[in-house]
Amino acid sequence: MSSKTHFFFLFFVATTLIGVFAQSEERFKGIETELNEILKVTNSPGFAVAVIDSLGIIYSKGFGYRDWENKISMNANTLLPIGSTTKAFTCALLGQLRAEGKLSFEDSPIKHIPELSFYTAVLNENITIKDLMTHQTGIPRHDESWSLFPSQSKDSLILRMRYHEPFKGLRQQWHYSNFMFMAQGVLGERLTGKNWEQNIKERFFEPLDMQRSTTSISALKKRSNVAIGYELRQDKFIKKVAYFDLAGMGPAGSINSSVNEMARWMTVWLNEGRYNGKQILPEVYVEEAMSSQAITSPSLPDEEFPDMHFSTYGYGWFISSYRGHYRLQHEGNIDGFSANVSFFPSDGLGIVVLTNLSGSSLTSMVRNTIADRMLGTERTDWVNDFRLSWEKARKEFKSSKEVSITEENTNDSTLFSIGKFTGSYENKGYGRFKIVQEKDSLLARFKLKKYYLKHIGNAIFKALERTDSGVLESDLPSFEFQFIPGVEEEPIGIHIKLEAFLEKPIIFKKIQ
């Protein structure tokens, strides 16, 4: 290349980059006013967002506070739990192992985890690894099995799965399941000889330079610039909540990261599996993961979602259309935190939003606000939409919202002796808990929570969570204990409706 040609080539590159930068600046003009308004209207303590193209970050910033009480600001390097957006990492690990010839997605998971067993012989003989990856086993979530009865041992959780009853036949209906992603993590452990946490660190965090990201709460607490989680009480009051340790369920949602580090993960998906020229994920896996592998629900366009042309699931990603653009995304919700990770592969756009507020609409509002600008589509006033929907929901919720009550005069203990209900109760698919008597009240004691049992008729009690601030109405209306009478009315077990998709309640047998 002659010096003159070289000069014009450099001039062309420079002017092109200036044009792209100017275009980006224009698209982000005034964006912080909108994002601060979202922060305000959702009563959120703080959030961070990163916008990514195929070359990397084009915008990242923190808003509000990572520590509400001490007014310490959130920034783009603040670490937060990302919840179920972890699932794409766990699936991707299997994608790597398939490329290494260590498994096929059509394999039975039992081939690699011999002690794994399901509720029926049909499931044992026919479930594939792909069914675990795409939520098509027909087994409902059974989430209380790990949330009320946590275990640090993934192997112990694997043994519980044989007692988890399905509600549909195999591949008859898509249904979300954290347990199936835990099982994928164990698959990786068996095939590599390393635990899931090591695999994630060595195969993703290290090559992507995600140096501060962690896979456990214990490691998160040792980091600096970490967000504190909160929840809303009484519509506006922000209450601090403790970090929730997923323990053995980590492969389903225990990664902690920042928007700046998650941006590097996004560039992998926007570059056919590559990062800085290195192939992190097999290209064929990326193509499959971003393609529809299962239909999640019927999704005909309607007045509320006129551009919803389809709703499917890939490998760790929900797939749908947004204003005519192909979008992949996954949300994450865990005590005190919400997340949304999304990308538009045809548009070369990725958006990561992390907030330190439970169950928040903020993440989708921020995502949509930025997507409208970056895609050049019609812009919706998402703040006004939120105000209208929130006001409607508040009116409907007003009569049934969570309220504090006192323990006095709530248990009609004069009808019978409550002492006969005390003891240990167990279900092999869940775990063991105790019912104890304190004065004239019954308490159900689980590993992390205590429930006051309010008598509501015969041998039926409603579970009311007991915290340091008092007794709270459960947010699960069907969370009732119905004791099973035996000889001379002595209880031999308890029916508890812990899985909404099963017609019958879960039975805990009295063992002591």
Side-chain angles (χ1 to χ4, degrees):
M1 182 183 295
S2 68
S3 59
K4 185 176 181 180
T5 303
H6 184 65
F7 170 79
F8 281 113
F9 174 75
L10 292 176
F11 177 77
F12 171 77
V13 171
T15 53
T16 300
L17 290 175
I18 291 171
V20 170
F21 180 76
Q23 184 184 37
S24 295
E25 286 292 296
E26 181 63 29
R27 285 183 294 185
F28 287 113
K29 187 177 181 180
I31 187 69
E32 291 176 11
T33 300
E34 292 185 62
L35 298 184
N36 275 310
E37 186 63 22
I38 292 173
L39 180 73
K40 180 180 178 181
V41 75
T42 57
N43 296 306
S44 302
F47 75 93
V49 59
V51 185
I52 306 99
D53 66 11
S54 60
L55 298 178
I57 295 173
I58 54 178
Y59 177 88
S60 68
K61 187 176 177 63
F63 295 80
Y65 304 105
R66 66 176 174 89
D67 182 335
W68 174 262
E69 290 87 357
N70 297 303
K71 299 297 183 284
I72 302 175
S73 297
M74 182 87 73
N75 61 50
N77 291 313
T78 300
L79 294 178
L80 304 90
I82 69 169
S84 286
T85 63
T86 296
K87 288 181 169 65
F89 287 85
T90 298
C91 277
L93 170 61
L94 299 191
Q96 289 182 335
L97 295 177
R98 184 182 66 174
E100 295 167 12
K102 295 180 178 178
L103 60 78
S104 164
F105 290 173
E106 300 307 318
D107 286 348
S108 166
I110 298 172
K111 173 183 176 181
H112 306 287
I113 312 174
E115 72 273 28
L116 174 62
S117 181
F118 297 98
Y119 197 79
T120 67
V122 171
L123 293 177
N124 285 332
E125 293 166 5
N126 294 283
I127 280 182
T128 66
I129 292 173
K130 183 175 179 178
D131 294 325
L132 306 186
M133 298 170 71
T134 56
H135 299 297
Q136 294 192 95
T137 63
I139 302 171
R141 297 174 68 137
H142 288 283
D143 276 344
E144 302 299 338
S145 173
W146 60 266
S147 62
L148 279 179
F149 305 90
S151 172
Q152 292 292 338
S153 169
K154 301 183 191 73
D155 291 340
S156 71
L157 294 170
I158 284 289
L159 294 177
R160 294 180 190 178
M161 293 174 66
R162 70 182 63 191
Y163 304 102
H164 290 171
E165 184 178 354
F167 79 109
K168 292 288 182 179
L170 180 63
R171 303 184 200 109
Q172 286 186 352
Q173 181 175 321
W174 182 94
H175 192 79
Y176 196 84
S177 172
N178 287 302
F179 263 99
M180 301 309 154
F181 274 75
M182 180 275 297
Q184 291 174 62
V186 174
L187 270 169
E189 294 184 344
R190 300 300 172 84
L191 292 170
T192 63
K194 299 178 180 180
N195 64 32
W196 174 82
E197 292 79 4
Q198 289 174 297
N199 281 324
I200 295 299
K201 179 182 178 182
E202 294 175 8
R203 290 172 175 265
F204 300 121
F205 289 174
E206 290 178 355
L208 297 179
D209 197 28
M210 299 173 68
Q211 296 180 0
R212 300 185 67 246
S213 296
T214 76
T215 54
S216 70
I217 293 300
S218 59
L220 177 69
K221 291 178 178 178
K222 297 176 183 177
R223 297 283 197 265
S224 60
N225 192 7
V226 174
I228 294 171
Y230 299 89
E231 64 182 5
L232 290 180
R233 286 287 176 89
Q234 300 173 350
D235 296 341
K236 293 184 179 180
F237 176 69
I238 296 178
K239 180 181 181 296
K240 182 178 177 180
V241 296
Y243 294 114
F244 186 85
D245 184 358
L246 268 74
M249 290 298 293
S254 71
I255 288 178
N256 311 291
S257 192
S258 67
V259 296
N260 275 350
E261 293 200 352
M262 285 295 290
R264 295 162 196 160
W265 171 239
M266 283 289 89
T267 60
V268 171
W269 292 93
L270 294 174
N271 286 282
E272 299 176 317
R274 292 185 296 274
Y275 178 74
N276 283 346
K278 182 179 179 181
Q279 198 76 40
I280 304 298
L281 295 178
E283 189 173 335
V284 66
Y285 170 78
V286 171
E287 184 176 342
E288 284 182 35
M290 296 195 304
S291 301
S292 299
Q293 302 295 335
I295 297 172
T296 59
S297 63
S299 299
L300 293 175
D302 56 23
E303 290 185 6
E304 185 177 3
F305 300 104
D307 61 346
M308 180 64 78
H309 302 145
F310 59 94
S311 180
T312 62
Y313 197 80
Y315 296 147
W317 295 109
F318 288 92
I319 308 170
S320 61
S321 57
Y322 180 77
R323 303 197 191 282
H325 294 258
Y326 193 85
R327 183 183 72 187
L328 293 100
Q329 65 94 26
H330 208 296
E331 294 181 345
N333 288 290
I334 195 167
D335 296 22
F337 300 91
S338 303
N340 189 283
V341 179
S342 62
F343 64 105
F344 300 78
S346 300
D347 301 282
L349 171 67
I351 304 169
V352 179
V353 189
L354 306 177
T355 182
N356 53 340
L357 185 67
S358 296
S360 178
S361 299
L362 177 146
T363 55
S364 59
M365 293 171 67
V366 170
R367 177 201 63 199
N368 291 348
T369 297
I370 291 173
D372 291 347
R373 285 170 167 263
M374 299 301 292
L375 299 174
T377 65
E378 174 188 353
R379 296 187 187 180
T380 295
D381 186 344
W382 296 106
V383 167
N384 187 57
D385 274 13
F386 177 82
R387 285 196 180 105
L388 294 175
S389 62
W390 176 250
E391 187 59 34
K392 179 182 178 181
R394 185 161 60 176
K395 289 179 180 178
E396 294 174 352
F397 189 63
K398 192 173 182 179
S399 61
S400 60
K401 68 181 180 179
E402 187 178 68
V403 294
S404 294
I405 63 171
T406 59
E407 294 189 28
E408 287 78 20
N409 301 318
T410 56
N411 190 7
D412 187 0
S413 58
T414 61
L415 295 178
F416 48 75
S417 172
I418 62 175
K420 67 182 179 181
F421 297 106
T422 63
S424 294
Y425 295 82
E426 182 180 49
N427 177 285
K428 291 183 179 180
Y430 282 68
R432 182 183 300 184
F433 72 96
K434 285 186 176 182
I435 292 181
V436 299
Q437 181 176 350
E438 288 189 7
K439 297 180 180 179
D440 62 348
S441 299
L442 287 178
L443 290 179
R445 287 184 173 174
F446 297 87
K447 189 170 184 178
L448 300 178
K449 292 185 177 182
K450 290 186 293 186
Y451 289 89
Y452 167 67
L453 301 184
K454 176 184 177 183
H455 182 234
I456 58 176
N458 296 323
I460 303 174
F461 296 76
K462 185 173 183 179
L464 309 174
E465 186 176 354
R466 181 175 178 178
T467 67
D468 293 339
S469 58
V471 179
L472 302 171
E473 289 282 1
S474 172
D475 57 357
L476 301 172
S478 60
F479 194 27
E480 296 175 355
F481 286 43
Q482 182 172 356
F483 288 88
I484 305 168
V487 179
E488 296 182 356
E489 298 301 309
E490 285 289 331
I492 59 173
I494 308 175
H495 286 136
I496 310 178
K497 184 73 172 176
L498 290 178
E499 177 45 66
F501 282 84
L502 294 180
E503 292 183 8
K504 297 179 180 179
I506 306 298
I507 298 176
F508 288 80
K509 294 182 179 180
K510 190 172 184 181
I511 57 175
Q512 290 181 2

